[in-house]
Amino acid sequence: MQNIDTVQRRLAAREASLEKARARLAAATPGSAAHRRAPLDVEQLGRAVHARRKHLQQLLAAEDRHAPGPG
């Protein structure tokens, strides 16, 4: 099983990349190549962030299942 810290770091990196892509989209000149490409970058990174969040939730749920019960 992957280390939860590793997944959290990767998620944070993807979220930062997504924010940068959103900033590039906002700054791009309409009609430019960057303006045409940026929505795809945002969409792909958004899917990657969603997948990493889901993976992290699964890891945390698995860890909870394997944790010893109270008392």
Side-chain angles (χ1 to χ4, degrees):
M1 184 175 0
Q2 281 190 324
N3 187 346
I4 291 174
D5 292 333
T6 301
V7 175
Q8 287 174 326
R9 278 196 313 273
R10 289 179 180 170
L11 174 58
R14 290 289 183 179
E15 288 173 334
S17 294
L18 178 58
E19 289 306 312
K20 289 178 187 175
R22 286 180 176 153
R24 282 193 303 272
L25 176 58
T29 304
S32 68
H35 191 262
R36 290 189 300 272
R37 185 177 54 246
L40 296 175
D41 292 343
V42 169
E43 181 181 339
Q44 289 174 345
L45 286 167
R47 279 189 258 132
V49 165
H50 176 75
R52 296 247 187 241
R53 283 183 184 146
K54 186 175 180 180
H55 185 204
L56 180 59
Q57 288 173 346
Q58 291 170 345
L59 289 175
L60 292 171
E63 185 178 80
D64 287 344
R65 282 194 303 270
H66 296 308

mmCIF file of all heavy atoms in Angstrom, residues 2-13 51-57 59:
data_model
loop_
_atom_site.group_PDB
_atom_site.id
_atom_site.type_symbol
_atom_site.label_atom_id
_atom_site.label_comp_id
_atom_site.label_asym_id
_atom_site.label_seq_id
_atom_site.Cartn_x
_atom_site.Cartn_y
_atom_site.Cartn_z
ATOM 1 N N GLN A 2 0.457 2.239 -0.740
ATOM 2 C CA GLN A 2 1.254 3.461 -0.821
ATOM 3 C C GLN A 2 1.194 4.229 0.492
ATOM 4 O O GLN A 2 0.202 4.198 1.214
ATOM 5 C CB GLN A 2 0.752 4.363 -1.940
ATOM 6 C CG GLN A 2 1.209 3.925 -3.296
ATOM 7 C CD GLN A 2 0.878 4.986 -4.331
ATOM 8 O OE1 GLN A 2 -0.144 5.631 -4.237
ATOM 9 N NE2 GLN A 2 1.737 5.126 -5.294
ATOM 10 N N ASN A 3 2.258 4.924 0.742
ATOM 11 C CA ASN A 3 2.364 5.744 1.934
ATOM 12 C C ASN A 3 1.413 6.942 1.820
ATOM 13 O O ASN A 3 1.392 7.642 0.806
ATOM 14 C CB ASN A 3 3.814 6.204 2.067
ATOM 15 C CG ASN A 3 4.086 6.925 3.338
ATOM 16 O OD1 ASN A 3 3.185 7.326 4.055
ATOM 17 N ND2 ASN A 3 5.347 7.099 3.628
ATOM 18 N N ILE A 4 0.630 7.179 2.845
ATOM 19 C CA ILE A 4 -0.346 8.269 2.831
ATOM 20 C C ILE A 4 0.349 9.617 2.676
ATOM 21 O O ILE A 4 -0.141 10.492 1.964
ATOM 22 C CB ILE A 4 -1.224 8.214 4.094
ATOM 23 C CG1 ILE A 4 -2.121 6.977 4.023
ATOM 24 C CG2 ILE A 4 -2.056 9.478 4.249
ATOM 25 C CD1 ILE A 4 -2.941 6.711 5.251
ATOM 26 N N ASP A 5 1.515 9.787 3.291
ATOM 27 C CA ASP A 5 2.253 11.051 3.160
ATOM 28 C C ASP A 5 2.633 11.326 1.705
ATOM 29 O O ASP A 5 2.549 12.461 1.242
ATOM 30 C CB ASP A 5 3.516 11.037 4.022
ATOM 31 C CG ASP A 5 3.196 11.046 5.508
ATOM 32 O OD1 ASP A 5 2.118 11.557 5.882
ATOM 33 O OD2 ASP A 5 4.021 10.542 6.282
ATOM 34 N N THR A 6 3.028 10.278 0.998
ATOM 35 C CA THR A 6 3.402 10.425 -0.411
ATOM 36 C C THR A 6 2.199 10.872 -1.228
ATOM 37 O O THR A 6 2.302 11.776 -2.067
ATOM 38 C CB THR A 6 3.952 9.099 -0.965
ATOM 39 O OG1 THR A 6 5.086 8.723 -0.193
ATOM 40 C CG2 THR A 6 4.338 9.229 -2.425
ATOM 41 N N VAL A 7 1.059 10.256 -1.000
ATOM 42 C CA VAL A 7 -0.154 10.607 -1.735
ATOM 43 C C VAL A 7 -0.563 12.041 -1.408
ATOM 44 O O VAL A 7 -0.967 12.807 -2.299
ATOM 45 C CB VAL A 7 -1.292 9.608 -1.437
ATOM 46 C CG1 VAL A 7 -2.589 10.039 -2.102
ATOM 47 C CG2 VAL A 7 -0.898 8.215 -1.905
ATOM 48 N N GLN A 8 -0.425 12.443 -0.145
ATOM 49 C CA GLN A 8 -0.766 13.820 0.230
ATOM 50 C C GLN A 8 0.163 14.821 -0.458
ATOM 51 O O GLN A 8 -0.288 15.877 -0.907
ATOM 52 C CB GLN A 8 -0.697 13.984 1.741
ATOM 53 C CG GLN A 8 -1.847 13.318 2.455
ATOM 54 C CD GLN A 8 -1.717 13.359 3.965
ATOM 55 O OE1 GLN A 8 -0.614 13.300 4.496
ATOM 56 N NE2 GLN A 8 -2.837 13.443 4.653
ATOM 57 N N ARG A 9 1.458 14.508 -0.548
ATOM 58 C CA ARG A 9 2.404 15.402 -1.229
ATOM 59 C C ARG A 9 2.069 15.512 -2.717
ATOM 60 O O ARG A 9 2.097 16.608 -3.298
ATOM 61 C CB ARG A 9 3.841 14.897 -1.063
ATOM 62 C CG ARG A 9 4.475 15.280 0.240
ATOM 63 C CD ARG A 9 5.986 15.110 0.222
ATOM 64 N NE ARG A 9 6.434 13.841 -0.325
ATOM 65 C CZ ARG A 9 6.578 12.707 0.370
ATOM 66 N NH1 ARG A 9 6.289 12.682 1.650
ATOM 67 N NH2 ARG A 9 7.012 11.612 -0.209
ATOM 68 N N ARG A 10 1.749 14.389 -3.322
ATOM 69 C CA ARG A 10 1.401 14.406 -4.746
ATOM 70 C C ARG A 10 0.114 15.192 -4.988
ATOM 71 O O ARG A 10 0.001 15.913 -5.980
ATOM 72 C CB ARG A 10 1.272 12.982 -5.275
ATOM 73 C CG ARG A 10 2.604 12.278 -5.376
ATOM 74 C CD ARG A 10 2.443 10.878 -5.871
ATOM 75 N NE ARG A 10 3.732 10.198 -5.958
ATOM 76 C CZ ARG A 10 3.867 8.916 -6.176
ATOM 77 N NH1 ARG A 10 2.810 8.142 -6.342
ATOM 78 N NH2 ARG A 10 5.066 8.382 -6.242
ATOM 79 N N LEU A 11 -0.838 15.036 -4.087
ATOM 80 C CA LEU A 11 -2.084 15.792 -4.197
ATOM 81 C C LEU A 11 -1.807 17.290 -4.093
ATOM 82 O O LEU A 11 -2.314 18.085 -4.894
ATOM 83 C CB LEU A 11 -3.072 15.354 -3.121
ATOM 84 C CG LEU A 11 -4.369 16.161 -3.010
ATOM 85 C CD1 LEU A 11 -5.142 16.146 -4.323
ATOM 86 C CD2 LEU A 11 -5.225 15.620 -1.864
ATOM 87 N N ALA A 12 -0.982 17.683 -3.137
ATOM 88 C CA ALA A 12 -0.650 19.099 -2.980
ATOM 89 C C ALA A 12 0.046 19.641 -4.228
ATOM 90 O O ALA A 12 -0.234 20.763 -4.673
ATOM 91 C CB ALA A 12 0.230 19.302 -1.752
ATOM 92 N N ALA A 13 0.927 18.844 -4.818
ATOM 93 C CA ALA A 13 1.626 19.265 -6.033
ATOM 94 C C ALA A 13 0.644 19.431 -7.190
ATOM 95 O O ALA A 13 0.722 20.403 -7.958
ATOM 96 C CB ALA A 13 2.708 18.260 -6.400
ATOM 97 N N ALA A 51 -8.824 12.460 -8.850
ATOM 98 C CA ALA A 51 -8.380 11.074 -8.693
ATOM 99 C C ALA A 51 -7.467 10.911 -7.480
ATOM 100 O O ALA A 51 -7.581 9.938 -6.725
ATOM 101 C CB ALA A 51 -7.659 10.611 -9.960
ATOM 102 N N ARG A 52 -6.572 11.873 -7.259
ATOM 103 C CA ARG A 52 -5.666 11.790 -6.099
ATOM 104 C C ARG A 52 -6.451 11.923 -4.790
ATOM 105 O O ARG A 52 -6.145 11.249 -3.813
ATOM 106 C CB ARG A 52 -4.596 12.865 -6.171
ATOM 107 C CG ARG A 52 -3.684 12.708 -7.352
ATOM 108 C CD ARG A 52 -2.293 12.370 -6.940
ATOM 109 N NE ARG A 52 -1.430 12.383 -8.101
ATOM 110 C CZ ARG A 52 -0.761 11.315 -8.505
ATOM 111 N NH1 ARG A 52 -0.832 10.198 -7.848
ATOM 112 N NH2 ARG A 52 0.013 11.386 -9.565
ATOM 113 N N ARG A 53 -7.445 12.818 -4.778
ATOM 114 C CA ARG A 53 -8.264 12.963 -3.568
ATOM 115 C C ARG A 53 -9.008 11.662 -3.263
ATOM 116 O O ARG A 53 -9.089 11.226 -2.115
ATOM 117 C CB ARG A 53 -9.266 14.104 -3.734
ATOM 118 C CG ARG A 53 -8.664 15.462 -3.579
ATOM 119 C CD ARG A 53 -9.712 16.547 -3.671
ATOM 120 N NE ARG A 53 -9.086 17.851 -3.603
ATOM 121 C CZ ARG A 53 -9.520 18.911 -4.242
ATOM 122 N NH1 ARG A 53 -10.595 18.845 -5.006
ATOM 123 N NH2 ARG A 53 -8.886 20.070 -4.136
ATOM 124 N N LYS A 54 -9.559 11.060 -4.308
ATOM 125 C CA LYS A 54 -10.280 9.809 -4.134
ATOM 126 C C LYS A 54 -9.339 8.721 -3.624
ATOM 127 O O LYS A 54 -9.692 7.963 -2.718
ATOM 128 C CB LYS A 54 -10.911 9.397 -5.462
ATOM 129 C CG LYS A 54 -11.795 8.198 -5.370
ATOM 130 C CD LYS A 54 -12.487 7.929 -6.690
ATOM 131 C CE LYS A 54 -13.374 6.706 -6.581
ATOM 132 N NZ LYS A 54 -14.050 6.428 -7.854
ATOM 133 N N HIS A 55 -8.142 8.642 -4.185
ATOM 134 C CA HIS A 55 -7.155 7.663 -3.753
ATOM 135 C C HIS A 55 -6.792 7.876 -2.284
ATOM 136 O O HIS A 55 -6.709 6.918 -1.503
ATOM 137 C CB HIS A 55 -5.919 7.753 -4.650
ATOM 138 C CG HIS A 55 -4.900 6.710 -4.373
ATOM 139 N ND1 HIS A 55 -3.579 6.874 -4.677
ATOM 140 C CD2 HIS A 55 -4.976 5.481 -3.817
ATOM 141 C CE1 HIS A 55 -2.903 5.803 -4.315
ATOM 142 N NE2 HIS A 55 -3.736 4.941 -3.793
ATOM 143 N N LEU A 56 -6.582 9.127 -1.910
ATOM 144 C CA LEU A 56 -6.247 9.436 -0.522
ATOM 145 C C LEU A 56 -7.385 9.017 0.411
ATOM 146 O O LEU A 56 -7.146 8.429 1.467
ATOM 147 C CB LEU A 56 -5.943 10.925 -0.368
ATOM 148 C CG LEU A 56 -5.571 11.394 1.030
ATOM 149 C CD1 LEU A 56 -4.336 10.660 1.553
ATOM 150 C CD2 LEU A 56 -5.333 12.892 1.038
ATOM 151 N N GLN A 57 -8.616 9.286 0.021
ATOM 152 C CA GLN A 57 -9.762 8.882 0.840
ATOM 153 C C GLN A 57 -9.805 7.368 1.003
ATOM 154 O O GLN A 57 -10.096 6.858 2.082
ATOM 155 C CB GLN A 57 -11.070 9.374 0.216
ATOM 156 C CG GLN A 57 -11.276 10.857 0.334
ATOM 157 C CD GLN A 57 -12.496 11.336 -0.432
ATOM 158 O OE1 GLN A 57 -13.060 10.613 -1.254
ATOM 159 N NE2 GLN A 57 -12.907 12.566 -0.166
ATOM 160 N N LEU A 59 -7.229 5.303 0.861
ATOM 161 C CA LEU A 59 -6.143 4.907 1.751
ATOM 162 C C LEU A 59 -6.497 5.175 3.210
ATOM 163 O O LEU A 59 -6.236 4.348 4.087
ATOM 164 C CB LEU A 59 -4.850 5.636 1.386
ATOM 165 C CG LEU A 59 -4.171 5.215 0.084
ATOM 166 C CD1 LEU A 59 -2.980 6.116 -0.198
ATOM 167 C CD2 LEU A 59 -3.737 3.766 0.157
#
